[in-house]
Amino acid sequence: MDKHSKACHRSLPKRIILVRHGESQGNLDMAAYTTTPDYRIPLTRLGVEQARTAGEKIKVVVSEGERWKVYFYVSPYERTRATLREIGRAFSRGRIIGAREECRIREQDFGNFQVEERMKAIKQTRERFGRFFFRFPEGESAADVFDRVASFMESLWRDIEMRRLEQDESMDLNMVIVSHGLTSRVFLMKWFKWTVEQFEMLSNLDNCELRVMQLGPGGEYSLAIHHSREELQRWGLSPEMIADQQWRASATHGSWYDNCPWHLDSFFGRFHDSESSSSSEEEEESSHNHSGD
């Protein structure tokens, strides 16, 4: 790794932690959406407890060394902001660099769901036709969420590159994104270049469940540093996706395509072993066609 790469590596967050909000009243009873706007749905008592426990878990993860700090991004919904408040109880003020409300990591817009039976019917339809491209009436598809999450990630990188997060190279920076289940899965999809088919295999995060992306020695982020293979399997990652995460855990930054041929194979099938074998097959096919004239 050259000097420039080492400097860039030092300025990167050591971890990017995705956390879903605690149990909300809507998770407990879908009828809540018929009387309360989605963005105002509160946490349940259990959700508050889950958020406090999540704060303690995050603190254990990030406090490996003596010099570390945390920066938070949070969805503007009541249930995510309340989750952040409870998570924050685990940290002293000196450990928190800052927090920012970020509208682009909000929940998928499900449209105007005031009729419970209609909501259930439309969600059943989504299950039959696939989660990624199905767009809710007056609402969003997961593909729409992908577009705004991609925009958020561009801003996130600018924040890092322009040192807006007050990065001290002697400090481990930990970025925590308090958001929603589908939004978090879309974030991972975009980050790791997963396909739509791979996205459809993923299971949703449980309330206040964490996904820890940790920076490896080669400058790549991986889920396999903090999480076990069994966890990745339970989340719906295929053997190829898990192998990719394991490679990223010790990979050299920038060599992804050279070391992940399965990604190309999923698009093109079997390649010729060499240019010469390809030319020979083409000549043989041409000769065969001419012999039939």
Side-chain angles (χ1 to χ4, degrees), residues 131-194:
R131 288 177 171 266
F132 192 75
F133 292 114
F134 181 86
R135 178 177 284 116
F136 285 88
E138 303 99 31
E140 290 182 305
S141 66
D144 296 321
V145 178
F146 181 97
D147 291 341
R148 55 177 164 83
V149 166
S151 171
F152 161 67
M153 289 172 67
E154 291 175 3
S155 299
L156 184 151
W157 277 112
R158 282 197 297 273
D159 286 346
I160 294 170
E161 290 171 357
M162 297 181 71
R163 308 187 71 80
R164 292 170 178 162
L165 308 182
E166 303 178 28
Q167 293 103 302
D168 178 345
E169 291 181 359
S170 67
M171 286 279 184
D172 288 336
L173 171 63
N174 298 274
M175 189 177 294
V176 180
I177 301 173
V178 185
S179 184
H180 307 266
L182 182 134
T183 309
S184 297
R185 282 178 285 155
V186 165
F187 183 98
L188 293 171
M189 175 190 182
K190 168 64 177 171
W191 190 285
F192 293 120
K193 303 179 178 66
W194 292 340

Short mmCIF file of all heavy atoms in Angstrom, two decimals, residues 131-194:
data_model
loop_
_atom_site.label_atom_id
_atom_site.label_comp_id
_atom_site.label_asym_id
_atom_site.label_seq_id
_atom_site.Cartn_x
_atom_site.Cartn_y
_atom_site.Cartn_z
N ARG A 131 -39.99 -7.97 -4.53
CA ARG A 131 -39.94 -6.78 -3.69
C ARG A 131 -39.24 -5.60 -4.35
O ARG A 131 -39.53 -4.46 -4.04
CB ARG A 131 -39.20 -7.11 -2.37
CG ARG A 131 -40.00 -7.98 -1.43
CD ARG A 131 -39.19 -8.33 -0.20
NE ARG A 131 -40.04 -8.98 0.80
CZ ARG A 131 -40.65 -8.35 1.77
NH1 ARG A 131 -40.51 -7.04 1.89
NH2 ARG A 131 -41.39 -9.00 2.63
N PHE A 132 -38.29 -5.86 -5.24
CA PHE A 132 -37.44 -4.76 -5.69
C PHE A 132 -38.14 -3.81 -6.65
O PHE A 132 -38.06 -2.59 -6.49
CB PHE A 132 -36.17 -5.31 -6.35
CG PHE A 132 -35.13 -4.26 -6.58
CD1 PHE A 132 -34.37 -3.78 -5.51
CD2 PHE A 132 -34.90 -3.72 -7.83
CE1 PHE A 132 -33.42 -2.79 -5.69
CE2 PHE A 132 -33.95 -2.73 -8.03
CZ PHE A 132 -33.21 -2.27 -6.96
N PHE A 133 -38.85 -4.33 -7.63
CA PHE A 133 -39.45 -3.46 -8.64
C PHE A 133 -40.91 -3.13 -8.38
O PHE A 133 -41.46 -2.22 -9.01
CB PHE A 133 -39.32 -4.08 -10.03
CG PHE A 133 -37.89 -4.13 -10.53
CD1 PHE A 133 -37.26 -5.35 -10.72
CD2 PHE A 133 -37.19 -2.97 -10.79
CE1 PHE A 133 -35.94 -5.40 -11.16
CE2 PHE A 133 -35.88 -3.01 -11.23
CZ PHE A 133 -35.25 -4.23 -11.42
N PHE A 134 -41.56 -3.84 -7.46
CA PHE A 134 -42.98 -3.59 -7.20
C PHE A 134 -43.15 -2.22 -6.54
O PHE A 134 -42.58 -1.95 -5.48
CB PHE A 134 -43.56 -4.68 -6.30
CG PHE A 134 -45.02 -4.49 -6.01
CD1 PHE A 134 -45.99 -4.98 -6.87
CD2 PHE A 134 -45.43 -3.80 -4.88
CE1 PHE A 134 -47.34 -4.80 -6.61
CE2 PHE A 134 -46.78 -3.60 -4.61
CZ PHE A 134 -47.74 -4.11 -5.48
N ARG A 135 -43.94 -1.37 -7.17
CA ARG A 135 -44.17 -0.03 -6.61
C ARG A 135 -45.56 0.03 -5.99
O ARG A 135 -46.56 -0.32 -6.62
CB ARG A 135 -44.04 1.05 -7.69
CG ARG A 135 -44.33 2.46 -7.16
CD ARG A 135 -44.13 3.53 -8.21
NE ARG A 135 -42.72 3.80 -8.45
CZ ARG A 135 -42.10 3.58 -9.61
NH1 ARG A 135 -42.78 3.08 -10.63
NH2 ARG A 135 -40.82 3.86 -9.75
N PHE A 136 -45.61 0.48 -4.73
CA PHE A 136 -46.89 0.65 -4.05
C PHE A 136 -47.68 1.79 -4.70
O PHE A 136 -47.08 2.81 -5.09
CB PHE A 136 -46.67 0.95 -2.58
CG PHE A 136 -46.25 -0.24 -1.77
CD1 PHE A 136 -44.90 -0.57 -1.65
CD2 PHE A 136 -47.20 -1.04 -1.14
CE1 PHE A 136 -44.51 -1.67 -0.91
CE2 PHE A 136 -46.80 -2.15 -0.41
CZ PHE A 136 -45.46 -2.47 -0.30
N PRO A 137 -48.99 1.64 -4.83
CA PRO A 137 -49.81 2.74 -5.36
C PRO A 137 -49.58 4.01 -4.54
O PRO A 137 -49.60 3.97 -3.31
CB PRO A 137 -51.24 2.22 -5.19
CG PRO A 137 -51.11 0.73 -5.20
CD PRO A 137 -49.80 0.44 -4.51
N GLU A 138 -49.32 5.11 -5.20
CA GLU A 138 -48.98 6.39 -4.58
C GLU A 138 -47.71 6.33 -3.73
O GLU A 138 -47.44 7.23 -2.93
CB GLU A 138 -50.12 6.93 -3.69
CG GLU A 138 -51.45 7.10 -4.40
CD GLU A 138 -52.38 5.93 -4.15
OE1 GLU A 138 -52.31 5.33 -3.06
OE2 GLU A 138 -53.18 5.62 -5.04
N GLY A 139 -46.93 5.26 -3.88
CA GLY A 139 -45.75 5.09 -3.05
C GLY A 139 -44.50 4.78 -3.86
O GLY A 139 -44.36 5.22 -5.00
N GLU A 140 -43.58 4.03 -3.26
CA GLU A 140 -42.29 3.74 -3.85
C GLU A 140 -42.07 2.25 -4.03
O GLU A 140 -42.66 1.42 -3.33
CB GLU A 140 -41.15 4.24 -2.94
CG GLU A 140 -40.99 5.73 -2.83
CD GLU A 140 -39.81 6.07 -1.94
OE1 GLU A 140 -39.78 5.60 -0.78
OE2 GLU A 140 -38.93 6.82 -2.39
N SER A 141 -41.17 1.91 -4.93
CA SER A 141 -40.61 0.57 -5.03
C SER A 141 -39.26 0.57 -4.30
O SER A 141 -38.71 1.63 -3.98
CB SER A 141 -40.40 0.18 -6.49
OG SER A 141 -39.42 1.01 -7.08
N ALA A 142 -38.70 -0.63 -4.09
CA ALA A 142 -37.35 -0.71 -3.52
C ALA A 142 -36.34 -0.08 -4.48
O ALA A 142 -35.33 0.48 -4.05
CB ALA A 142 -36.98 -2.15 -3.24
N ALA A 143 -36.63 -0.14 -5.79
CA ALA A 143 -35.75 0.49 -6.77
C ALA A 143 -35.71 2.01 -6.57
O ALA A 143 -34.66 2.63 -6.72
CB ALA A 143 -36.22 0.16 -8.20
N ASP A 144 -36.85 2.60 -6.21
CA ASP A 144 -36.88 4.03 -5.91
C ASP A 144 -36.03 4.34 -4.68
O ASP A 144 -35.31 5.35 -4.63
CB ASP A 144 -38.31 4.51 -5.68
CG ASP A 144 -39.19 4.37 -6.92
OD1 ASP A 144 -38.69 4.62 -8.03
OD2 ASP A 144 -40.37 4.00 -6.77
N VAL A 145 -36.14 3.48 -3.67
CA VAL A 145 -35.34 3.66 -2.45
C VAL A 145 -33.86 3.55 -2.79
O VAL A 145 -33.02 4.30 -2.27
CB VAL A 145 -35.74 2.62 -1.38
CG1 VAL A 145 -34.87 2.78 -0.13
CG2 VAL A 145 -37.22 2.76 -1.02
N PHE A 146 -33.52 2.61 -3.68
CA PHE A 146 -32.13 2.43 -4.10
C PHE A 146 -31.56 3.74 -4.65
O PHE A 146 -30.43 4.12 -4.32
CB PHE A 146 -32.07 1.34 -5.17
CG PHE A 146 -30.69 1.04 -5.69
CD1 PHE A 146 -29.96 -0.03 -5.18
CD2 PHE A 146 -30.11 1.80 -6.68
CE1 PHE A 146 -28.68 -0.31 -5.65
CE2 PHE A 146 -28.83 1.53 -7.16
CZ PHE A 146 -28.12 0.46 -6.64
N ASP A 147 -32.35 4.45 -5.47
CA ASP A 147 -31.86 5.68 -6.09
C ASP A 147 -31.54 6.75 -5.05
O ASP A 147 -30.51 7.42 -5.14
CB ASP A 147 -32.89 6.22 -7.08
CG ASP A 147 -33.04 5.33 -8.31
OD1 ASP A 147 -32.14 4.52 -8.57
OD2 ASP A 147 -34.08 5.44 -8.99
N ARG A 148 -32.40 6.91 -4.05
CA ARG A 148 -32.11 7.95 -3.05
C ARG A 148 -31.01 7.51 -2.08
O ARG A 148 -30.23 8.34 -1.59
CB ARG A 148 -33.37 8.39 -2.33
CG ARG A 148 -34.21 7.36 -1.64
CD ARG A 148 -35.38 8.07 -0.93
NE ARG A 148 -36.46 7.22 -0.53
CZ ARG A 148 -36.51 6.50 0.59
NH1 ARG A 148 -35.47 6.52 1.41
NH2 ARG A 148 -37.57 5.77 0.88
N VAL A 149 -30.91 6.20 -1.81
CA VAL A 149 -29.82 5.71 -0.97
C VAL A 149 -28.48 5.91 -1.69
O VAL A 149 -27.47 6.27 -1.07
CB VAL A 149 -30.03 4.23 -0.59
CG1 VAL A 149 -28.76 3.61 -0.02
CG2 VAL A 149 -31.17 4.11 0.43
N ALA A 150 -28.47 5.69 -3.01
CA ALA A 150 -27.25 5.91 -3.79
C ALA A 150 -26.82 7.38 -3.70
O ALA A 150 -25.63 7.69 -3.57
CB ALA A 150 -27.49 5.51 -5.25
N SER A 151 -27.79 8.29 -3.75
CA SER A 151 -27.49 9.72 -3.61
C SER A 151 -26.93 10.02 -2.22
O SER A 151 -25.97 10.79 -2.07
CB SER A 151 -28.76 10.54 -3.86
OG SER A 151 -28.57 11.90 -3.53
N PHE A 152 -27.51 9.40 -1.19
CA PHE A 152 -27.01 9.59 0.17
C PHE A 152 -25.58 9.11 0.30
O PHE A 152 -24.73 9.77 0.93
CB PHE A 152 -27.90 8.84 1.16
CG PHE A 152 -27.26 8.59 2.50
CD1 PHE A 152 -26.97 9.64 3.36
CD2 PHE A 152 -26.93 7.30 2.91
CE1 PHE A 152 -26.37 9.42 4.60
CE2 PHE A 152 -26.33 7.07 4.14
CZ PHE A 152 -26.05 8.13 4.98
N MET A 153 -25.26 7.98 -0.32
CA MET A 153 -23.91 7.44 -0.23
C MET A 153 -22.88 8.36 -0.87
O MET A 153 -21.74 8.48 -0.40
CB MET A 153 -23.86 6.04 -0.84
CG MET A 153 -24.59 5.00 0.00
SD MET A 153 -24.77 3.39 -0.78
CE MET A 153 -23.08 2.84 -0.84
N GLU A 154 -23.26 9.03 -1.95
CA GLU A 154 -22.36 10.01 -2.56
C GLU A 154 -22.06 11.14 -1.57
O GLU A 154 -20.91 11.59 -1.45
CB GLU A 154 -22.99 10.56 -3.83
CG GLU A 154 -23.08 9.54 -4.97
CD GLU A 154 -23.82 10.10 -6.17
OE1 GLU A 154 -24.18 11.30 -6.14
OE2 GLU A 154 -24.02 9.35 -7.15
N SER A 155 -23.09 11.61 -0.87
CA SER A 155 -22.89 12.67 0.13
C SER A 155 -22.05 12.17 1.29
O SER A 155 -21.21 12.90 1.83
CB SER A 155 -24.25 13.16 0.66
OG SER A 155 -25.03 13.69 -0.38
N LEU A 156 -22.27 10.93 1.68
CA LEU A 156 -21.51 10.34 2.77
C LEU A 156 -20.02 10.33 2.44
O LEU A 156 -19.18 10.71 3.26
CB LEU A 156 -22.02 8.92 3.02
CG LEU A 156 -21.44 8.11 4.18
CD1 LEU A 156 -22.50 7.13 4.70
CD2 LEU A 156 -20.21 7.34 3.76
N TRP A 157 -19.69 9.94 1.20
CA TRP A 157 -18.29 9.92 0.80
C TRP A 157 -17.70 11.33 0.75
O TRP A 157 -16.52 11.53 1.10
CB TRP A 157 -18.13 9.22 -0.55
CG TRP A 157 -18.09 7.74 -0.42
CD1 TRP A 157 -19.02 6.83 -0.84
CD2 TRP A 157 -17.06 6.97 0.24
NE1 TRP A 157 -18.63 5.56 -0.50
CE2 TRP A 157 -17.45 5.61 0.16
CE3 TRP A 157 -15.87 7.31 0.88
CZ2 TRP A 157 -16.67 4.59 0.70
CZ3 TRP A 157 -15.10 6.28 1.42
CH2 TRP A 157 -15.49 4.95 1.32
N ARG A 158 -18.50 12.30 0.32
CA ARG A 158 -17.99 13.68 0.33
C ARG A 158 -17.72 14.15 1.75
O ARG A 158 -16.74 14.85 2.01
CB ARG A 158 -19.00 14.62 -0.36
CG ARG A 158 -18.96 14.55 -1.88
CD ARG A 158 -19.65 15.75 -2.50
NE ARG A 158 -21.06 15.82 -2.17
CZ ARG A 158 -22.02 15.20 -2.86
NH1 ARG A 158 -21.71 14.47 -3.91
NH2 ARG A 158 -23.28 15.32 -2.50
N ASP A 159 -18.60 13.76 2.69
CA ASP A 159 -18.38 14.11 4.09
C ASP A 159 -17.04 13.56 4.59
O ASP A 159 -16.30 14.23 5.31
CB ASP A 159 -19.51 13.57 4.98
CG ASP A 159 -20.80 14.37 4.83
OD1 ASP A 159 -20.75 15.48 4.27
OD2 ASP A 159 -21.85 13.87 5.28
N ILE A 160 -16.75 12.32 4.18
CA ILE A 160 -15.51 11.68 4.61
C ILE A 160 -14.31 12.33 3.95
O ILE A 160 -13.32 12.70 4.61
CB ILE A 160 -15.55 10.16 4.29
CG1 ILE A 160 -16.64 9.47 5.12
CG2 ILE A 160 -14.19 9.52 4.54
CD1 ILE A 160 -16.91 8.04 4.71
N GLU A 161 -14.38 12.49 2.62
CA GLU A 161 -13.23 13.01 1.87
C GLU A 161 -12.90 14.46 2.24
O GLU A 161 -11.73 14.85 2.25
CB GLU A 161 -13.52 12.90 0.37
CG GLU A 161 -13.53 11.45 -0.12
CD GLU A 161 -14.03 11.34 -1.55
OE1 GLU A 161 -14.43 12.37 -2.12
OE2 GLU A 161 -14.04 10.21 -2.09
N MET A 162 -13.95 15.25 2.56
CA MET A 162 -13.72 16.65 2.90
C MET A 162 -13.54 16.85 4.41
O MET A 162 -13.50 17.97 4.90
CB MET A 162 -14.88 17.51 2.38
CG MET A 162 -15.00 17.47 0.86
SD MET A 162 -16.35 18.50 0.22
CE MET A 162 -15.65 20.13 0.52
N ARG A 163 -13.49 15.72 5.13
CA ARG A 163 -13.21 15.72 6.57
C ARG A 163 -14.23 16.54 7.35
O ARG A 163 -13.90 17.24 8.31
CB ARG A 163 -11.78 16.21 6.83
CG ARG A 163 -10.73 15.48 6.03
CD ARG A 163 -9.33 15.84 6.42
NE ARG A 163 -8.99 15.29 7.73
CZ ARG A 163 -8.62 14.02 7.94
NH1 ARG A 163 -8.58 13.18 6.93
NH2 ARG A 163 -8.32 13.61 9.14
N ARG A 164 -15.49 16.45 6.94
CA ARG A 164 -16.56 17.15 7.63
C ARG A 164 -16.93 16.47 8.95
O ARG A 164 -17.66 17.04 9.76
CB ARG A 164 -17.80 17.23 6.74
CG ARG A 164 -17.63 18.13 5.52
CD ARG A 164 -18.79 17.99 4.56
NE ARG A 164 -18.66 18.88 3.42
CZ ARG A 164 -19.32 18.72 2.28
NH1 ARG A 164 -20.17 17.70 2.15
NH2 ARG A 164 -19.16 19.57 1.28
N LEU A 165 -16.45 15.23 9.13
CA LEU A 165 -16.79 14.50 10.35
C LEU A 165 -15.70 14.63 11.40
O LEU A 165 -15.64 13.84 12.35
CB LEU A 165 -17.02 13.01 10.01
CG LEU A 165 -18.03 12.75 8.88
CD1 LEU A 165 -18.22 11.26 8.68
CD2 LEU A 165 -19.37 13.41 9.18
N GLU A 166 -14.82 15.60 11.21
CA GLU A 166 -13.76 15.88 12.19
C GLU A 166 -12.87 14.67 12.44
O GLU A 166 -12.51 14.36 13.58
CB GLU A 166 -14.36 16.35 13.53
CG GLU A 166 -15.26 17.57 13.41
CD GLU A 166 -15.85 17.96 14.75
OE1 GLU A 166 -15.24 17.69 15.78
OE2 GLU A 166 -16.94 18.54 14.75
N GLN A 167 -12.49 13.98 11.36
CA GLN A 167 -11.67 12.79 11.53
C GLN A 167 -10.29 13.14 12.09
O GLN A 167 -9.59 13.98 11.53
CB GLN A 167 -11.49 12.04 10.21
CG GLN A 167 -12.75 11.42 9.67
CD GLN A 167 -13.33 12.23 8.52
OE1 GLN A 167 -13.64 13.40 8.68
NE2 GLN A 167 -13.47 11.61 7.38
N ASP A 168 -9.94 12.52 13.15
CA ASP A 168 -8.60 12.58 13.73
C ASP A 168 -7.96 11.24 13.41
O ASP A 168 -8.48 10.20 13.80
CB ASP A 168 -8.71 12.81 15.23
CG ASP A 168 -7.35 12.84 15.92
OD1 ASP A 168 -6.36 12.40 15.30
OD2 ASP A 168 -7.29 13.27 17.08
N GLU A 169 -6.86 11.25 12.68
CA GLU A 169 -6.26 10.00 12.23
C GLU A 169 -5.87 9.09 13.37
O GLU A 169 -5.68 7.88 13.18
CB GLU A 169 -5.05 10.30 11.33
CG GLU A 169 -5.45 10.91 9.99
CD GLU A 169 -4.26 11.17 9.11
OE1 GLU A 169 -3.13 10.90 9.56
OE2 GLU A 169 -4.44 11.65 7.98
N SER A 170 -5.73 9.63 14.56
CA SER A 170 -5.38 8.78 15.71
C SER A 170 -6.62 8.17 16.36
O SER A 170 -6.52 7.35 17.26
CB SER A 170 -4.61 9.60 16.75
OG SER A 170 -5.46 10.59 17.33
N MET A 171 -7.81 8.60 15.88
CA MET A 171 -9.07 8.11 16.42
C MET A 171 -9.73 7.12 15.46
O MET A 171 -9.68 7.31 14.25
CB MET A 171 -10.06 9.27 16.64
CG MET A 171 -9.75 10.15 17.81
SD MET A 171 -10.35 9.39 19.34
CE MET A 171 -9.95 10.70 20.51
N ASP A 172 -10.34 6.07 15.99
CA ASP A 172 -11.17 5.19 15.18
C ASP A 172 -12.54 5.83 15.03
O ASP A 172 -13.24 6.06 16.03
CB ASP A 172 -11.32 3.82 15.85
CG ASP A 172 -10.06 2.99 15.78
OD1 ASP A 172 -9.24 3.24 14.87
OD2 ASP A 172 -9.88 2.09 16.63
N LEU A 173 -12.93 6.16 13.80
CA LEU A 173 -14.24 6.73 13.53
C LEU A 173 -15.22 5.61 13.25
O LEU A 173 -14.96 4.74 12.42
CB LEU A 173 -14.18 7.68 12.33
CG LEU A 173 -15.53 8.19 11.80
CD1 LEU A 173 -16.25 9.03 12.86
CD2 LEU A 173 -15.33 8.98 10.52
N ASN A 174 -16.34 5.62 13.95
CA ASN A 174 -17.41 4.64 13.74
C ASN A 174 -18.67 5.37 13.31
O ASN A 174 -19.15 6.27 14.01
CB ASN A 174 -17.67 3.86 15.04
CG ASN A 174 -16.47 3.07 15.48
OD1 ASN A 174 -16.25 1.96 15.06
ND2 ASN A 174 -15.66 3.68 16.36
N MET A 175 -19.19 5.00 12.16
CA MET A 175 -20.38 5.64 11.62
C MET A 175 -21.58 4.72 11.84
O MET A 175 -21.55 3.54 11.46
CB MET A 175 -20.18 5.90 10.12
CG MET A 175 -21.23 6.75 9.48
SD MET A 175 -20.78 7.04 7.74
CE MET A 175 -19.30 8.03 7.95
N VAL A 176 -22.63 5.23 12.47
CA VAL A 176 -23.82 4.44 12.76
C VAL A 176 -25.00 5.05 12.01
O VAL A 176 -25.27 6.25 12.13
CB VAL A 176 -24.12 4.40 14.28
CG1 VAL A 176 -25.37 3.57 14.55
CG2 VAL A 176 -22.92 3.83 15.04
N ILE A 177 -25.69 4.22 11.23
CA ILE A 177 -26.83 4.67 10.43
C ILE A 177 -28.09 4.03 10.98
O ILE A 177 -28.28 2.81 10.87
CB ILE A 177 -26.63 4.31 8.95
CG1 ILE A 177 -25.35 4.96 8.41
CG2 ILE A 177 -27.84 4.75 8.12
CD1 ILE A 177 -24.98 4.54 7.00
N VAL A 178 -28.94 4.83 11.61
CA VAL A 178 -30.17 4.32 12.24
C VAL A 178 -31.30 4.51 11.22
O VAL A 178 -31.71 5.63 10.93
CB VAL A 178 -30.49 5.07 13.55
CG1 VAL A 178 -31.71 4.45 14.22
CG2 VAL A 178 -29.28 5.04 14.49
N SER A 179 -31.79 3.40 10.70
CA SER A 179 -32.72 3.50 9.58
C SER A 179 -33.79 2.41 9.67
O SER A 179 -34.24 2.06 10.76
CB SER A 179 -31.92 3.42 8.26
OG SER A 179 -32.75 3.60 7.14
N HIS A 180 -34.15 1.86 8.52
CA HIS A 180 -35.26 0.90 8.40
C HIS A 180 -34.77 -0.38 7.72
O HIS A 180 -33.69 -0.39 7.12
CB HIS A 180 -36.40 1.54 7.62
CG HIS A 180 -36.83 2.86 8.17
ND1 HIS A 180 -37.86 3.00 9.08
CD2 HIS A 180 -36.33 4.12 7.98
CE1 HIS A 180 -37.99 4.28 9.41
NE2 HIS A 180 -37.07 4.98 8.76
N GLY A 181 -35.57 -1.42 7.79
CA GLY A 181 -35.15 -2.72 7.29
C GLY A 181 -34.82 -2.73 5.81
O GLY A 181 -33.71 -3.09 5.40
N LEU A 182 -35.78 -2.33 4.97
CA LEU A 182 -35.54 -2.35 3.53
C LEU A 182 -34.46 -1.37 3.14
O LEU A 182 -33.60 -1.67 2.30
CB LEU A 182 -36.83 -2.06 2.76
CG LEU A 182 -36.66 -2.13 1.24
CD1 LEU A 182 -37.79 -2.92 0.58
CD2 LEU A 182 -36.59 -0.73 0.63
N THR A 183 -34.46 -0.20 3.74
CA THR A 183 -33.45 0.81 3.42
C THR A 183 -32.05 0.29 3.71
O THR A 183 -31.11 0.50 2.93
CB THR A 183 -33.71 2.10 4.21
OG1 THR A 183 -35.07 2.50 4.03
CG2 THR A 183 -32.79 3.22 3.76
N SER A 184 -31.88 -0.42 4.81
CA SER A 184 -30.58 -0.99 5.17
C SER A 184 -30.15 -2.06 4.17
O SER A 184 -28.97 -2.14 3.78
CB SER A 184 -30.63 -1.57 6.58
OG SER A 184 -30.89 -0.57 7.54
N ARG A 185 -31.09 -2.90 3.74
CA ARG A 185 -30.76 -3.94 2.75
C ARG A 185 -30.36 -3.31 1.42
O ARG A 185 -29.42 -3.77 0.76
CB ARG A 185 -31.95 -4.88 2.56
CG ARG A 185 -32.09 -5.91 3.67
CD ARG A 185 -33.31 -6.77 3.46
NE ARG A 185 -34.54 -6.04 3.78
CZ ARG A 185 -35.73 -6.31 3.26
NH1 ARG A 185 -35.87 -7.27 2.36
NH2 ARG A 185 -36.79 -5.62 3.63
N VAL A 186 -31.05 -2.26 1.03
CA VAL A 186 -30.72 -1.55 -0.21
C VAL A 186 -29.34 -0.91 -0.10
O VAL A 186 -28.56 -0.90 -1.05
CB VAL A 186 -31.80 -0.51 -0.54
CG1 VAL A 186 -31.32 0.46 -1.60
CG2 VAL A 186 -33.08 -1.20 -1.02
N PHE A 187 -29.02 -0.35 1.07
CA PHE A 187 -27.69 0.23 1.30
C PHE A 187 -26.62 -0.83 1.06
O PHE A 187 -25.62 -0.57 0.37
CB PHE A 187 -27.61 0.76 2.73
CG PHE A 187 -26.32 1.47 3.06
CD1 PHE A 187 -26.24 2.85 3.01
CD2 PHE A 187 -25.19 0.75 3.43
CE1 PHE A 187 -25.04 3.51 3.33
CE2 PHE A 187 -23.99 1.39 3.74
CZ PHE A 187 -23.92 2.77 3.68
N LEU A 188 -26.79 -2.01 1.62
CA LEU A 188 -25.82 -3.09 1.46
C LEU A 188 -25.74 -3.53 0.00
O LEU A 188 -24.66 -3.81 -0.53
CB LEU A 188 -26.19 -4.28 2.35
CG LEU A 188 -26.09 -4.04 3.85
CD1 LEU A 188 -26.69 -5.21 4.62
CD2 LEU A 188 -24.63 -3.83 4.28
N MET A 189 -26.89 -3.59 -0.66
CA MET A 189 -26.94 -3.97 -2.07
C MET A 189 -26.10 -3.01 -2.91
O MET A 189 -25.30 -3.43 -3.75
CB MET A 189 -28.39 -3.97 -2.55
CG MET A 189 -28.58 -4.23 -4.03
SD MET A 189 -30.28 -3.90 -4.52
CE MET A 189 -30.22 -4.33 -6.26
N LYS A 190 -26.30 -1.73 -2.70
CA LYS A 190 -25.55 -0.71 -3.44
C LYS A 190 -24.06 -0.79 -3.11
O LYS A 190 -23.21 -0.74 -4.01
CB LYS A 190 -26.12 0.68 -3.11
CG LYS A 190 -25.28 1.85 -3.58
CD LYS A 190 -25.16 1.90 -5.09
CE LYS A 190 -24.38 3.15 -5.51
NZ LYS A 190 -24.06 3.12 -6.97
N TRP A 191 -23.74 -0.90 -1.85
CA TRP A 191 -22.34 -0.87 -1.42
C TRP A 191 -21.56 -2.06 -2.00
O TRP A 191 -20.46 -1.89 -2.52
CB TRP A 191 -22.26 -0.90 0.10
CG TRP A 191 -20.86 -0.62 0.59
CD1 TRP A 191 -19.79 -1.47 0.57
CD2 TRP A 191 -20.38 0.61 1.15
NE1 TRP A 191 -18.67 -0.87 1.08
CE2 TRP A 191 -19.01 0.41 1.45
CE3 TRP A 191 -20.97 1.84 1.42
CZ2 TRP A 191 -18.22 1.42 2.01
CZ3 TRP A 191 -20.19 2.83 1.99
CH2 TRP A 191 -18.83 2.61 2.27
N PHE A 192 -22.15 -3.25 -1.89
CA PHE A 192 -21.43 -4.46 -2.29
C PHE A 192 -21.73 -4.91 -3.72
O PHE A 192 -21.33 -5.99 -4.12
CB PHE A 192 -21.74 -5.59 -1.30
CG PHE A 192 -21.17 -5.34 0.08
CD1 PHE A 192 -22.02 -5.28 1.18
CD2 PHE A 192 -19.82 -5.16 0.27
CE1 PHE A 192 -21.51 -5.05 2.46
CE2 PHE A 192 -19.29 -4.93 1.54
CZ PHE A 192 -20.15 -4.87 2.64
N LYS A 193 -22.48 -4.07 -4.47
CA LYS A 193 -22.76 -4.36 -5.88
C LYS A 193 -23.55 -5.64 -6.06
O LYS A 193 -23.35 -6.40 -7.02
CB LYS A 193 -21.46 -4.41 -6.69
CG LYS A 193 -20.62 -3.14 -6.61
CD LYS A 193 -19.33 -3.30 -7.41
CE LYS A 193 -18.49 -2.03 -7.38
NZ LYS A 193 -17.97 -1.71 -6.04
N TRP A 194 -24.48 -5.91 -5.14
CA TRP A 194 -25.32 -7.09 -5.27
C TRP A 194 -26.36 -6.88 -6.36
O TRP A 194 -26.80 -5.76 -6.62
CB TRP A 194 -26.03 -7.40 -3.94
CG TRP A 194 -25.07 -7.85 -2.88
CD1 TRP A 194 -23.83 -8.37 -3.04
CD2 TRP A 194 -25.29 -7.82 -1.46
NE1 TRP A 194 -23.25 -8.66 -1.82
CE2 TRP A 194 -24.14 -8.33 -0.83
CE3 TRP A 194 -26.37 -7.41 -0.66
CZ2 TRP A 194 -24.02 -8.45 0.54
CZ3 TRP A 194 -26.25 -7.52 0.72
CH2 TRP A 194 -25.10 -8.05 1.32
#
